[in-house]
Amino acid sequence: MNATLYSIFSSLPFCICLGWWVILLLRRGTVSSPAHRYLSIFALACMLLYFCHAAFFNGEETPALRVLYFMCNLSVYPLFWLYIRALTEPELPKIGAWWVMVPGLVAGVALTVVYLCGGDPGVLDVPFRVLFVLELILVGISVALRLSAFDRRVKNFYVDTEHKSLQDMRSLFFLLILVLALSVLMSTLGRSVFMARLLLIVPSVLFSTLLFGIFHVGFLLEYTAAEMAAGGQEEETPAPSEADEREQQELLQRIRELMESKRLYLTPGLKISDVAEALDTNRTYISACINRQSGMSFSDYVNGFRVRHAQELMRRKDPELTLAQIGIQSGFSGDTSFFRNFKKVTGQTPSEWLAAQ
């Protein structure tokens, strides 16, 4: 690899983060989601981190950049955690939540003292690498739990979860695990291992691709816990006791009758609050009842009725009805939602199921 290509690959993650940071800043005034600010701060920290990487791989690292590298290295994933927290909680992180930034600040202060005293910042490499690995584990577990809990709340409040679920972010999170694994590898082996020109290509392309995906999904994401709270979701309540079992069964029967007699499942944008209003009861109690008695989320429960309605329409084999039209007439918000839920319920795509009839 010639010097020009080496320079390009060593700087590629920095360029990706710089580009997204600029895009996020330019969009800042047009986005209502407060979580967007946290994503832009995360992009800034990533940009500075990979600037330090680029300087190192091109032989231009200085002690000051070494200090900045460790500060950013211990700050990017806590910042990502703050971003996820802003997405999944109705209120923005309070001052107390910023304690996760302490490791990065401690690293910056300690290394600055060493540097000003004429020492080599590299003397603290090992303890900071151990701290970095521990930080990745804790952040990874917390982010996974938060994303899963948020999606459960969404599925228990809405039937149509498109553009509301953080499923895409969850998928990217699993890809982020690869970034974390690579980070751990680089933290353990040291960045100098990747000074070999061909070895540099792999982490450079992989980091750049995953970071691009994370920022792209975050850029498109508009629905957050704050939006859900504005929609009137109530706080979750503890699961009902065994003494309420019969009461729950009766309520589920009323819900089933409401769906079958009034075909409430055909209502576009149906929410659990609509069902609660029709039955004159508490929506949180309805959610707990459906979860406990059917073993499904509110979304899956209602979409089961929609799929069965779609099957009835498909059995008629009306040549003027396309599968997309059948999906819409069955209450689904679009083709993607129809096909995904149909396969989830039946194990087959609509076309496969129709061909088997």
Side-chain angles (χ1 to χ4, degrees), residues 52 113 131 166 182 205 275 278 322 349:
C52 295
V113 170
L131 182 60
L166 294 181
L182 271 177
V205 172
V275 179
T322 65
T349 65

Side-chain angles (χ1 to χ4, degrees), residues 65-77:
L65 286 178
R66 185 74 167 171
V67 173
L68 181 62
Y69 163 74
F70 272 109
M71 283 185 63
C72 292
N73 206 33
L74 289 169
S75 299
V76 288
Y77 294 113

Side-chain angles (χ1 to χ4, degrees), residues 264-282:
L264 197 63
Y265 57 84
L266 297 180
T267 305
L270 181 67
K271 301 188 295 292
I272 199 167
S273 53
D274 300 324
V275 179
E277 184 179 349
L279 295 176
D280 192 26
T281 187
N282 183 282

